[in-house]
């Protein structure tokens, strides 16, 4: 088993994510379970993925990612206007609240109410961390390397 992370490895890790002002936005330690990822598979944001390569089991590393290395800029095209009649009558329209939405194909996703008017709401479909520089404290717990070694066992009865 390798002790240095490389692309393609399955890694078990813990992390704490903070904004540049120190506000914590995510913490795998608090969830009580490590995160399992495959390095380089697209499961992680680019900067986090890149930071894992070369880390060793037991190593802790702090990284700072620009918005470009994280979730990118806020996309102005990712705002949609939705009529209030699309929501239940008793829906509490509150700016900043996250709302579950369904597209025409039945796909479900989350949006954030950016603007509330008398008849409609403007929903922000950007990732909540878009446009933000992020910091992570990462700890690699284990590396599971997929091996394709051939065995050299002697066939039965030929010893």
């Amino acid at each position: 088993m390798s002790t240095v992370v490389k692309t393609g490895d399955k890694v078990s890790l813990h992390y704490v994510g903070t904004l540049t002002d120190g506000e914590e936005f995510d913490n795998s330690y608090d969830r009580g379970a490590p995160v399992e990822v495959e390095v380089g598979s697209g499961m992680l944001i680019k900067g986090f993925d890149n930071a894992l390569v070369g880390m060793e089991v037991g190593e802790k590393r702090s990284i700072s990612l620009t918005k470009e290395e994280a979730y990118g800029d806020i996309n102005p095209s990712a705002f949609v206007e939705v009529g209030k009649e699309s929501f239940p009558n008793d829906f509490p329209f509150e700016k900043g609240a996250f709302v579950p939405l369904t597209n025409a194909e039945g796909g479900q996703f989350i949006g954030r109410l950016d603007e509330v008017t008398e008849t409609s709401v403007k929903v922000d479909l950007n990732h909540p961390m878009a446009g933000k520089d992020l910091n992570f404290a990462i700890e690699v717990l284990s590396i599971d390397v997929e091996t394709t070694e051939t065995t050299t066992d002697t066939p039965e009865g030929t010893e």
Side-chain angles (χ1 to χ4, degrees), residues 23-127:
E23 179 188 345
E24 190 175 291
F25 63 84
D26 198 7
N27 185 329
S28 66
Y29 294 100
D30 288 351
R31 291 192 297 274
V35 177
E36 308 280 333
V37 299
E38 183 177 336
V39 179
S41 69
M43 294 173 68
L44 300 169
I45 55 177
K46 183 172 87 174
F48 193 110
D49 210 30
N50 292 342
L52 287 174
V53 175
M55 287 185 71
E56 297 181 2
V57 172
E59 182 179 350
K60 294 180 179 182
R61 180 180 290 176
S62 292
I63 61 170
S64 295
L65 303 179
T66 64
K67 61 187 173 185
E68 292 80 16
E69 297 170 300
Y71 292 96
D73 278 315
I74 292 173
N75 179 353
S77 300
F79 289 82
V80 295
E81 192 162 321
V82 180
K84 284 186 171 179
E85 71 278 355
S86 299
F87 294 86
N89 289 336
D90 59 347
F91 191 85
F93 295 101
E94 187 177 317
K95 184 176 176 168
F98 288 95
V99 295
L101 300 170
T102 305
N103 64 16
E105 293 79 37
Q108 297 185 340
F109 53 96
I110 299 291
R112 185 182 55 79
L113 295 183
D114 183 63
E115 200 175 290
V116 180
T117 69
E118 186 104 5
T119 59
S120 66
V121 292
K122 186 188 219 179
V123 181
D124 180 357
L125 303 178
N126 285 287
H127 188 282

